[in-house]
Amino acid sequence: MTSKSMKGWLPVLAGGLLLTVSVAHAASPARGVTNSEIVIGQASDLSGVTAVQGVNNTDAIRMAFDEANAAGGVNGRKIKFIAEDMQYTVPRAVQAMNKLLNNDDIFLAIGDGGTPMNDANMPAQFAKDVPNMFPLTAARSMYEPYNRLKFAQFASYYDEMRSAVKYFAQTKGRKKFCVSYQDSDFGKDVLAGVVAETKALGMQVVATTAHRPTDTDFNGAMEKLHDAGCDAIMMGTIVRDTNIIIQTVRKMGWNVDLVGQFASYDTAIASLPGGATEGFYCMTPALYAYPDDPRPAVQEFAKKYKARYGREPNFHGEVGYTAAHLVLLGLQNAGKDLTVDGFIKGMESIHDYTDIFGSKFSFGPDQHHGSTRSFLTVVKNGRWVPVEQEALAY
């Protein structure tokens, strides 16, 4: 199979990726696999507090799979994609995954949303030998400890926050770091990164506040951080809580650096009416390519997405599109006799893959974490703009 014959659904291939992995013929078909079909599932937030991310991600994944199907599928098989709404709650996520595993017999899961939801579901998935592919979270638990069935897409919240603390301490002279975070596995991963880097720099976190994902009143929390004298607030927040916290701080007339991460890198924050989020910083593992990006492939993606769904794709839509193409490539590399082991080897044979948005990914045996880069961006005139062109590190 040449890259030319796969042109219909793989936007960018680099580094000779299409080396087909030889797999011994399975004695019995893998679960979720027939001669004509591969069943792939997802437990995503389609109507809850993070739906602005989940819906875009799911739609882009579906579009990529439909494009692959229209081009003939993968090694003669079409993708059947089943997305379940978990509303960003653990009980609904567990219920959704139980359906996908036991009723739909999925071969793999892709883009499952939320750190606590993935942490709750992975044991059941792994008990049935179902890979967890590119969940919509950057928590370390998505790739640590190593498990052959875990594949993560981006730098972790922990790494993003460590890099951000180092930058703001050394470049902007910030000394009193505080953390406002969701009281969940996600938020605690953000907190851990800030604690680790402040300690490495001979500092300590001055104050913290923790909240539930559904909380909407942050007046008391921000007063606490203000009274503690914070000069930078590192935020383990997503979209709605991020916007409310920023608005609360602005109403207080408090000029303090606010710094988010992958979960808050969203156009719904940058374009908040009234410009309240101007100057909000965010660490992100990849840079959002706006629909007016000059690259033809990006423009074509945005045009097709908007024509199909009636809105422009956000960053998490781009993330989903790339995740789907990486999975498609892994399936292609696995060959026609598809097994879980063959698929894993197919993923591990992907090196120096560059997606249409400019992000690069590599995998290998014992290396299922696609990228460790993270960039600092800021909201300027309602758009995300890179502060530094190069990725940050610690």
Side-chain angles (χ1 to χ4, degrees):
M1 175 75 64
T2 66
S3 59
K4 185 176 292 185
S5 65
M6 296 170 62
K7 185 177 180 181
W9 52 265
L10 285 176
V12 180
L13 300 175
L17 299 179
L18 293 180
L19 176 62
T20 300
V21 177
S22 296
V23 182
H25 185 77
S28 60
R31 58 174 289 131
V33 177
T34 69
N35 289 334
S36 61
E37 186 176 78
I38 304 169
V39 183
I40 294 177
Q42 182 190 56
S44 182
D45 183 3
L46 305 180
S47 63
V49 295
T50 64
V52 68
Q53 298 175 346
V55 170
N56 275 262
N57 184 262
T58 299
D59 286 347
I61 290 172
R62 189 180 303 280
M63 189 171 83
F65 287 157
D66 286 350
E67 289 171 351
N69 288 341
V74 185
N75 295 322
R77 295 185 178 96
K78 300 294 182 69
I79 303 297
K80 180 181 179 181
F81 179 52
I82 304 170
E84 297 291 334
D85 184 11
M86 53 78 170
Q87 298 182 331
Y88 202 74
T89 68
V90 171
R92 288 184 179 273
V94 171
Q95 183 181 39
M97 186 53 62
N98 282 338
K99 174 186 177 295
L100 293 169
L101 293 174
N102 299 315
N103 292 358
D104 301 313
D105 292 325
I106 59 172
F107 176 70
L108 62 84
I110 182 174
D112 288 353
T115 304
M117 298 79 188
N118 275 276
D119 287 342
N121 278 333
M122 280 191 287
Q125 287 178 246
F126 299 163
K128 291 184 177 292
D129 209 28
V130 173
N132 192 47
M133 305 302 299
F134 310 125
L136 194 58
T137 165
R140 288 175 293 169
S141 57
M142 300 305 108
Y143 61 90
E144 293 180 349
Y146 170 82
N147 186 300
R148 58 187 277 277
L149 298 171
K150 289 182 180 180
F151 281 85
Q153 197 165 353
F154 290 129
S156 68
Y157 302 123
Y158 177 89
D159 288 344
E160 291 168 19
M161 285 294 100
R162 290 202 65 168
S163 297
V165 168
K166 181 178 180 180
Y167 177 88
F168 278 85
Q170 297 185 347
T171 303
K172 301 194 71 176
R174 300 298 180 251
K175 298 178 180 178
K176 294 185 176 181
F177 289 90
C178 294
V179 188
S180 181
Y181 66 98
Q182 288 190 8
D183 190 10
S184 66
D185 294 345
F186 150 63
K188 290 172 183 176
D189 210 35
V190 171
L191 175 64
V194 180
V195 170
E197 190 59 24
T198 51
K199 182 178 180 181
L201 295 174
M203 305 177 183
Q204 64 180 8
V205 174
V206 175
T208 66
T209 65
H211 61 274
R212 294 169 298 183
T214 54
D215 284 351
T216 57
D217 184 353
F218 294 93
N219 289 290
M222 293 305 105
E223 288 289 351
K224 174 186 175 181
L225 299 187
H226 178 270
D227 292 345
C230 311
D231 55 17
I233 302 176
M234 317 308 285
M235 296 170 61
T237 55
I238 306 184
V239 175
R240 185 170 68 174
D241 51 348
T242 297
N243 279 336
I244 297 174
I245 288 173
I246 294 173
Q247 290 172 314
T248 301
V249 168
R250 301 297 187 234
K251 288 178 181 177
M252 292 168 60
W254 185 17
N255 184 24
V256 61
D257 288 330
L258 300 167
V259 187
Q261 29 54 51
F262 170 69
S264 49
Y265 184 61
D266 198 290
T267 50
I269 291 175
S271 60
L272 188 70
T277 55
E278 285 287 302
F280 172 59
Y281 293 96
C282 206
M283 292 295 295
T284 173
L287 296 173
Y288 174 55
Y290 279 88
D292 59 1
D293 186 285
R295 290 169 290 185
V298 174
Q299 291 186 2
E300 179 64 17
F301 162 73
K303 179 181 177 181
K304 289 188 297 184
Y305 186 98
K306 187 172 184 179
R308 177 164 179 170
Y309 299 115
R311 63 181 182 282
E312 292 181 342
N314 64 11
F315 175 63
H316 294 83
E318 295 181 355
V319 166
Y321 198 66
T322 292
H325 280 288
L326 286 167
V327 165
L328 287 167
L329 183 54
L331 292 169
Q332 182 70 41
N333 289 347
K336 189 167 182 62
D337 292 329
L338 180 60
T339 64
V340 172
D341 286 342
F343 171 67
I344 290 171
K345 291 178 181 178
M347 290 300 306
E348 291 173 347
S349 70
I350 297 174
H351 308 297
D352 299 320
Y353 174 92
T354 303
D355 69 10
I356 64 172
F357 311 108
S359 295
K360 297 181 179 180
F361 303 90
S362 289
F363 304 93
D366 302 325
Q367 170 52 35
H368 289 183
H369 186 198
S371 175
T372 59
R373 303 196 307 167
S374 54
F375 300 85
L376 180 64
T377 62
V378 67
V379 177
K380 185 176 182 181
N381 297 323
R383 292 169 68 108
W384 290 108
V385 177
V387 175
E388 302 285 344
Q389 294 299 321
E390 298 298 323
L392 300 184
Y394 62 89

